[in-house]
Amino acid sequence: MHNEWSQLKNELPELLEQSRKETIHGQVAEYIPELAHAPAQGLGITIADRQGNVIHAGDCSISFTLQSISKVFTLMLALMDNGEETVFTKVGKEPTGDDFNSMLKLELVEPGIPFNPLINAGAIAVSSMIKGKSPQEKAGRVLEFFHTLTGDASLTVNEKVYLSEKRTAHRNRSLAYFLKENQVLDEDTDVEEVLDVYFRHCSIETNCGHLAAMAVILANQGADPATGVQLIPKRYVQIAKTFMISCGMYNASGEFAIQAGIPAKSGVSGGILALVPGRYGIGVIGPALNSKGNSTAGVHLLESLSRSYGWSMF
Ligand code: GLU
């Protein structure tokens, strides 16, 4: 293990520069206008082990918003708030094969609950299950959860990205109203309030170091590796990791499972949170995305690392 760590330290910069070449095949997301300013050639990675060692390579100073990566954590918070049985009456456990913001199956497949918690419809349903008396309190609890997991109490919502998404989220708004029509959101739910919680957790500003710090907790089955304190019940971490394998990388989750074989979740900001179970937490940023919505260079880097170091779980 120690050898692997020093080898990683030596080889990571070169592997990263190889992968950086892939950025030319991708494009920065523009459908949330504020995301379009991200540096298209950027690529950075942080790897954290359970002993508290950290390696950075490339452009780790880039800050970006969590976007879909937040969905893994809101799921675990909703599970902690409501229990497994309740959560899975509102959201399913299967991949869709459709785009992350698709409405198709909500109408086609009875009973019209979102297929899984990592697509937008599912994550909006999950946001509605976060406990709190007001949307502010709910969003505040989500933010606090991230403070605990990253150990950084300065983590906050990027207001520009939040407002940019709020202004342009016509499709998410449609999805949420559809969920209300299908009674996934109760009759007395204020849809805008649920969306507000959702937009806020997607807009939390982060960096590769934060992602690696959170991922190493998942790699350690929910316990803080430094203190041993169980921050998230093991069962909920198990559920989250399983969704990361089956649906964490959009419609390329099967391909990524074959090529890299590690749990991962990407977001449209170009971030990827990944982990090597029992060993490492990894945070990647590469804003240029492929047609599936995953960071071109980020995927390339994780796949080449997994191949070189034999990280696949399968
Ligand atoms: N906030 C983004 C949206 O709802 C998250 C999408 C993503 O990262 O996949 O469109």
Side-chain angles (χ1 to χ4, degrees):
M1 175 81 88
H2 184 70
N3 280 344
E4 177 171 301
W5 191 253
S6 9
Q7 206 179 328
L8 256 177
K9 224 176 191 164
N10 293 333
E11 294 177 352
L12 200 54
E14 171 58 24
L15 282 170
L16 182 130
E17 291 312 323
Q18 286 299 325
S19 295
R20 194 194 292 276
K21 297 178 185 147
E22 298 298 312
T23 56
I24 56 164
H25 303 302
Q27 279 185 332
V28 173
E30 291 176 343
Y31 78 102
I32 299 175
E34 201 54 35
L35 295 184
H37 308 307
Q41 280 84 41
L43 182 64
I45 185 168
T46 301
I47 305 180
D49 73 5
R50 294 193 305 160
Q51 289 67 44
N53 303 302
V54 175
I55 310 174
H56 299 284
D59 311 316
C60 292
S61 58
I62 298 178
S63 58
F64 53 96
T65 48
L66 283 172
Q67 297 301 335
S68 266
I69 297 167
S70 61
K71 297 171 181 174
V72 173
F73 297 92
T74 49
L75 169 66
M76 291 186 287
L77 189 58
L79 285 165
M80 288 158 76
D81 279 356
N82 303 276
E84 202 172 322
E85 212 175 310
T86 305
V87 168
F88 292 112
T89 59
K90 304 277 187 197
V91 64
K93 297 175 183 157
E94 307 303 335
T96 59
D98 301 325
D99 287 345
F100 67 97
N101 55 6
S102 174
M103 314 195 65
L104 213 63
K105 293 214 164 65
L106 282 179
E107 188 165 28
L108 279 181
V109 184
E110 288 292 326
I113 66 170
F115 263 47
N116 69 68
L118 300 188
I119 53 172
N120 285 9
I124 293 168
V126 165
S127 291
S128 78
M129 290 185 270
I130 305 289
K131 297 261 192 249
K133 288 189 207 72
S134 61
Q136 290 76 9
E137 190 178 320
K138 292 176 192 185
R141 286 191 60 238
V142 175
L143 192 59
E144 251 171 55
F145 190 44
F146 284 111
H147 289 168
T148 306
L149 297 176
T150 58
D152 182 355
S154 72
L155 214 71
T156 183
V157 168
N158 177 323
E159 288 292 322
K160 274 192 177 163
V161 174
Y162 158 72
L163 289 172
S164 182
E165 177 164 5
K166 195 178 166 87
R167 253 195 315 271
T168 54
H170 313 305
R171 184 174 269 268
N172 281 334
R173 237 170 228 112
S174 323
L175 281 171
Y177 279 101
F178 214 103
L179 292 177
K180 187 160 174 173
E181 163 77 17
N182 288 2
Q183 282 140 30
V184 176
L185 302 182
D186 308 333
E187 195 43 44
D188 54 355
T189 304
D190 182 325
V191 171
E192 280 302 322
E193 289 189 358
V194 173
L195 284 170
D196 202 65
V197 176
Y198 173 81
F199 298 146
R200 282 186 182 278
H201 69 66
C202 287
S203 306
I204 293 171
E205 181 135 329
T206 189
N207 57 43
C208 289
H210 290 141
L211 297 191
M214 296 195 287
V216 78
I217 295 170
L218 303 187
N220 199 36
Q221 301 195 67
D224 182 335
T227 61
V229 173
Q230 195 73 38
L231 299 171
I232 311 165
K234 267 189 199 171
R235 171 66 179 161
Y236 300 155
V237 175
Q238 182 186 42
I239 292 173
K241 286 191 294 195
T242 312
F243 279 121
M244 289 168 80
I245 287 284
S246 63
C247 350
M249 299 296 282
Y250 304 112
N251 278 336
S253 300
E255 176 74 18
F256 187 79
I258 288 170
Q259 302 300 350
I262 52 173
K265 178 74 197 95
S266 66
V268 290
S269 51
I272 306 176
L273 178 148
L275 59 115
V276 183
R279 301 171 71 188
Y280 308 131
I282 306 173
V284 176
I285 179 64
L289 308 180
N290 61 25
S291 60
K292 299 283 168 64
N294 295 312
S295 167
T296 45
V299 167
H300 187 273
L301 180 56
L302 287 171
E303 289 181 356
S304 64
L305 279 167
S306 182
R307 247 193 325 273
S308 304
Y309 292 93
W311 286 346
S312 175
M313 292 162 63
F314 306 108

